[in-house]
Structures are given as structure tokens and as C-alpha cells.
């Protein structure tokens, strides 16, 4: 019996190595796990296959949670600061927060389709809107704390970094609300086209928003005099997708102009362009947490720019299919990229070295987000009917050798 078990364990291990040689490390891990399960009477083989299983796990992301919902386009995917909850909103108005630990869904308690939602920076509350009705909810109880009616239908919501100011983008205006006093703080900015995305500068002095008429608008917000003033004339935005303007520093703003096919960096104090880079067709853009690397999707290529340089260093990572979204890890320069080829890729930036094997999806991967502590990330496939949370592989050890798929990882003389 022991000889038969030993043969079975060896067959499982060899099947794992064969799977790896065929380019399927995920199947290899399953075979090694079976070898471990069968090795209760064989401590040496159990140890060796546990080492193999852990070594091969470092090659890819591991799924830890999944949620299904209606086949609608996901327009909001935002982690709570405790990394245990996700806020999601679809184009159909389905808004909820998802408990990743318990695997439960908690619908936002507003009547009608949810049009916008956001966590407060401190994480104690969430703000959501159903057209003109806006409400604040306590986290994690979901208890409603405040409700008011906006003069305009709400399309997006953004807090300042200190949580004192709530900026509300609508169909005809941009409004500013004092969070502590629960009242308007500055005069509303009247606009002619609905706001599709907006950003607040790190110090709260500037706001930039994209409108549906494909223009970028930038305003200074006077915390002392209460004045809200246009900084420069409206600038062309991307004609496809919803790339928001990005603040790469307190007074530095990056925009994409699809007419001129260029990414531009603006000095807001001087109202001038500091640099620009040619980009043919961009659908996504993201800034690293170090605020050094800007990733721009150029059709199927990832263009990486060093935005701390007066003439940005340019590095290109080539893929085979159209890119849809980017997200940088909060504690490293690793970049998630969702792609039209049904894959999500994870790269080390700026080298472009893959951090793990591509993650397969059932359809085109559409949106992605990182947990604030970097413990998980979430992806949504096209249509939004499947949301999955993943545990990323650990960062590569400099100088370490990859597992040898011919003989298994080096784990001592018995491996």
C-alpha cells in the first residue's frame, strides 16, 4: 500500500511539472496540492510538494472572492480604506457595497437608480446619489445619517483628500458642500454639459472635470475668499472612454487630447504646457503612488512616462489587444492592466517585466482596482456580471531564480 501511495504521489508531482512545461502553472499547483493530500504517510514527499506548491503559487494571482450581478457596465469600483469592502455602481443604477470577508452584498438604500457614490477619506461614511437625492450612510452599519435634495441631477462625487469638501458633479452644475457644516461652501459652477468625471488636487486648491462634450475644465477654489475661478479655457479631452484629468502634483495636471493625439502636462499656476508626449489612441491613464510614473494606454501598448523629469523618459510595453483600464498598487510600482484579450496583466514598472502569469477572464477585462493595503485587487469583466477579488503574488526577490519546471524548485537534497 505504501509503495502504491508513493507511485501515486510521484505521478501527481510529474503531472504538475508536465503542466508547467505546457505553460499552465495553475494546473501545476493543483497537481502538487493533490500530491500533498495523498502524502500523509510520506513526510518527505509531503514537504517537497508543499514547497513546489508554494513556489509555483508565486507565479500568479489567486482568486479569493467572487460576486455576480446583472450584465451592466460597471462605472464605479472603489475599495474602502480598510480593504475589506468595495463600492460599486453600474450604468443601470445598481449601487451597493460588497463585504469581501463575508461575501455579502449590501444595496444602497435610496429609491431609484444610483447615479454616483464615493467613500469618505476617513472611511466612516459613504455618500451616494439617486439622481437629485443625495444621502450619507454610516459604514459598516449602512445607517442613513443625512439626506438632501440637489438642485441638479448628480453624475459623480469626489471628496477632497482631507475629507472637508465634497465636490458634486451634475448635469448642469458643479457644487461644493462643506462636510462638517452640512451646507454649500462655495458658489456652484454652471456648465452646459454633464460631468462624467472629476478630480480634486491633493491640497484642495484646484478641481478639474471632464464633461460629456469632450472638454476638460479647470477651476481654482479659494478657501479664503470663497471664489471659484476658471484657470484656463476649456481644453479638448479624449473622444473615447472617460479618461479623467490627473493631478500629478499640487499644481500639475495631465490631460489627454485625442484631436492632437497628445498627453499634456499643465502648470496651473502659470497656465502653460510644461511638456507633451504623442499618444495615438488612449482609453486609460494612471499615476503611480510615488507620483513618478504615468502609465498611458496607447491602443495595445502601455506607455510609461517619468513625470518628474522636464522631458519625460518614455518606455513602451507592447501587448496584443486594446487596453481598457489601469490601476497601480498602493505600496509598489506594480501596474494592473485590463485588456480586450480576456486577460488582466500585472507588470513591474518601469521595467515592464511581468509580475505574474496573465489572469484569464471569460470576456474582455474592463475595470480594476487595488485595495489600499495592497492585499488584494479586484477585476470586472466586460458587461460587469462577474466581479472577482485576487490575492497578488509577492514581489519578486531581486536575483532570485524562477522555479525550474524540469525538476521542480530547489528544496534541499530530497526535492
Amino acid at each position: 500500500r505504501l509503495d502504491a501511495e508513493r507511485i501515486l504521489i510521484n505521478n501527481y508531482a510529474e503531472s504538475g511539472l508536465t503542466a508547467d512545461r505546457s505553460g499552465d502553472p495553475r494546473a501545476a499547483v493543483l497537481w502538487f496540492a493533490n500530491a500533498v493530500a495523498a502524502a500523509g504517510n510520506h513526510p518527505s514527499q509531503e514537504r517537497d510538494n508543499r514547497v513546489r506548491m508554494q513556489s509555483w503559487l508565486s507565479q500568479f494571482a489567486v482568486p479569493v472572492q467572487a460576486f455576480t450581478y446583472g450584465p451592466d457596465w460597471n462605472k464605479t469600483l472603489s475599495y474602502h480604506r480598510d480593504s475589506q469592502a468595495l463600492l460599486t455602481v453600474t450604468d443601470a443604477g445598481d449601487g451597493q457595497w460588497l463585504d469581501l470577508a463575508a461575501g455579502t452584498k449590501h444595496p444602497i438604500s435610496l429609491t431609484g437608480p444610483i447615479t454616483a457614490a464615493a467613500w469618505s477619506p476617513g472611511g466612516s461614511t459613504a455618500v451616494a446619489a439617486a439622481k437629485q437625492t443625495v444621502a450619507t450612510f454610516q459604514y459598516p452599519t449602512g445607517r442613513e445619517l443625512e439626506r438632501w435634495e440637489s438642485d441638479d441631477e448628480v453624475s459623480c462625487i469626489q471628496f477632497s483628500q482631507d475629507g472637508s469638501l465634497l465636490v458634486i458633479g451634475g448635469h448642469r452644475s458643479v457644487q461644493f458642500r462643506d462636510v462638517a457644516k452640512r451646507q454649500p461652501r462655495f458658489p456652484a459652477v454652471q456648465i452646459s454639459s454633464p460631468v462624467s468625471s472629476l478630480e480634486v488636487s491633493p491640497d484642495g486648491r484646484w478641481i478639474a472635470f471632464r464633461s460629456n462634450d469632450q472638454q476638460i475644465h479647470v477651476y481654482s477654489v479659494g478657501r479664503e475668499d470663497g471664489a471659484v475661478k476658471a484657470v484656463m479655457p476649456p481644453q479638448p479631452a479624449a473622444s473615447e472612454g472617460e479618461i479623467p484629468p490627473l493631478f500629478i502634483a499640487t499644481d500639475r495636471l495631465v490631460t489627454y487630447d485625442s484631436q492632437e493625439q497628445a498627453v499634456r502636462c499643465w502648470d496651473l499656476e502659470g497656465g502653460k504646457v510644461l511638456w507633451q508626449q504623442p499618444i495615438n489612441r488612449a482609453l486609460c491613464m494612471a499615476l503611480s503612488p510615488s507620483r513618478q510614473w504615468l502609465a498611458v494606454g496607447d491602443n495595445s501598448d502601455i506607455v510609461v512616462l517619468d513625470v518628474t523629469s522636464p522631458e519625460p523618459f518614455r518606455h513602451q510595453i507592447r501587448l496584443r489587444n486594446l487596453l481598457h483600464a489601469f490601476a497601480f498598487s498602493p505600496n509598489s510600482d506594480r501596474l494592473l492592466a485590463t485588456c480586450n484579450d480576456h486577460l488582466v496583466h500585472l507588470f513591474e514598472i518601469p521595467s515592464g517585466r511581468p509580475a505574474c502569469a496573465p489572469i484569464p477572464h471569460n470576456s474582455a477585462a474592463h475595470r480594476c482596482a487595488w485595495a489600499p493595503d495592497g492585499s488584494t485587487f479586484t477585476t470586472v469583466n466586460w458587461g460587469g456580471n462577474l466581479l472577482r477579488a485576487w490575492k497578488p503574488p509577492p514581489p519578486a526577490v531581486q536575483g532570485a531564480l524562477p522555479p525550474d519546471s524540469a525538476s521542480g524548485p530547489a528544496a534541499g537534497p530530497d526535492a
Side-chain angles (χ1 to χ4, degrees):
R1 180 175 59 83
L2 292 177
D3 287 343
E5 287 178 351
R6 191 176 294 108
I7 292 172
L8 180 64
I9 296 164
N10 289 335
N11 285 340
Y12 284 156
E14 184 56 39
S15 295
L17 296 172
T18 300
D20 181 75
R21 285 192 290 268
S22 300
D24 192 353
R26 297 173 181 83
V29 167
L30 294 178
W31 282 115
F32 298 146
N34 281 323
V36 170
N41 297 318
H42 307 270
S44 175
Q45 286 180 296
E46 179 182 5
R47 181 197 65 209
D48 294 345
N49 282 291
R50 282 189 184 278
V51 171
R52 288 189 178 99
M53 185 175 67
Q54 292 299 324
S55 297
W56 263 265
L57 274 173
S58 67
Q59 297 187 51
F60 57 89
V62 178
V64 295
Q65 190 58 270
F67 296 89
T68 59
Y69 50 95
D72 303 309
W73 186 266
N74 185 294
K75 66 177 185 178
T76 299
L77 185 63
S78 174
Y79 269 90
H80 185 265
R81 65 172 298 171
D82 68 5
S83 301
Q84 297 302 308
L86 275 165
L87 194 60
T88 71
V89 178
T90 69
D91 273 353
D94 179 19
Q96 56 195 329
W97 66 268
L98 309 174
D99 188 323
L100 293 177
T104 54
K105 301 178 182 180
H106 303 266
I108 295 173
S109 301
L110 286 175
T111 302
I114 306 301
T115 54
W119 297 111
S120 65
S124 60
T125 61
V127 175
K131 295 189 175 181
Q132 291 183 240
T133 302
V134 189
T136 302
F137 300 92
Q138 186 182 58
Y139 174 80
T141 65
R143 181 171 65 91
E144 185 175 314
L145 302 175
E146 180 190 9
R147 181 181 292 223
W148 71 94
E149 292 295 319
S150 170
D151 296 332
D152 190 11
E153 185 172 331
V154 178
S155 56
C156 55
I157 296 172
Q158 183 70 46
F159 282 92
S160 61
Q161 284 193 6
D162 62 7
S164 65
L165 184 67
L166 181 66
V167 185
I168 304 171
H171 285 208
R172 303 182 309 276
S173 65
V174 176
Q175 301 177 42
F176 306 87
R177 186 173 180 84
D178 189 306
V179 174
K181 295 180 179 180
R182 298 187 175 186
Q183 64 184 25
R185 186 164 181 179
F186 305 118
V189 174
Q190 302 304 313
I191 56 177
S192 58
S193 181
V195 176
S196 59
S197 61
L198 60 85
E199 294 289 322
V200 182
S201 67
D203 62 356
R205 293 175 53 210
W206 320 84
I207 67 161
F209 59 89
R210 181 189 187 277
S211 52
N212 284 352
D213 59 2
Q214 300 172 13
Q215 290 188 322
I216 299 292
H217 307 261
V218 186
Y219 285 80
S220 64
V221 180
R223 294 295 184 102
E224 297 178 358
D225 59 11
V228 180
K229 303 175 183 177
V231 174
M232 55 190 185
Q235 299 296 316
S239 59
E240 298 179 273
E242 294 184 3
I243 299 179
L246 288 180
F247 285 97
I248 62 173
T250 297
D251 58 351
R252 298 287 188 271
L253 183 73
V254 170
T255 64
Y256 173 65
D257 179 356
S258 58
Q259 296 179 12
E260 298 294 331
Q261 295 184 324
V263 169
R264 296 191 179 96
C265 178
W266 295 85
D267 172 11
L268 298 183
E269 293 284 5
K272 61 181 181 180
V273 176
L274 295 178
W275 54 259
Q276 72 175 36
Q277 287 284 321
I279 298 290
N280 294 324
R281 181 192 181 195
L283 295 179
C284 49
M285 190 162 60
L287 181 68
S288 70
S290 64
R291 294 188 175 273
Q292 178 180 6
W293 306 111
L294 180 71
V296 185
D298 189 352
N299 283 307
S300 61
D301 294 342
I302 302 174
V303 177
V304 181
L305 304 173
D306 181 355
V307 296
T308 62
S309 170
E311 297 182 2
F313 160 84
R314 181 185 176 104
H315 180 71
Q316 209 143 335
I317 304 169
R318 298 195 179 278
L319 295 174
R320 296 181 179 179
N321 250 288
L322 190 65
L323 293 157
H324 293 297
F326 290 148
F328 270 101
S329 167
N331 45 26
S332 69
D333 287 334
R334 292 201 288 180
L335 179 71
L336 273 175
T338 63
C339 200
N340 209 46
D341 59 3
H342 299 196
L343 295 174
V344 172
H345 303 266
L346 182 60
F347 294 104
E348 304 284 353
I349 299 300
S351 70
R353 186 180 67 84
C356 68
I359 306 168
H361 286 61
N362 294 332
S363 59
H366 164 230
R367 200 174 291 277
C368 57
W370 278 92
D373 63 2
S375 61
T376 62
F377 60 82
T378 299
T379 62
V380 180
N381 68 306
W382 197 272
N385 58 348
L386 182 62
L387 180 150
R388 285 184 284 181
W390 308 81
K391 180 182 178 181
V397 178
Q398 295 298 321
L401 295 176
D404 182 354
S405 61
S407 60
D414 297 326

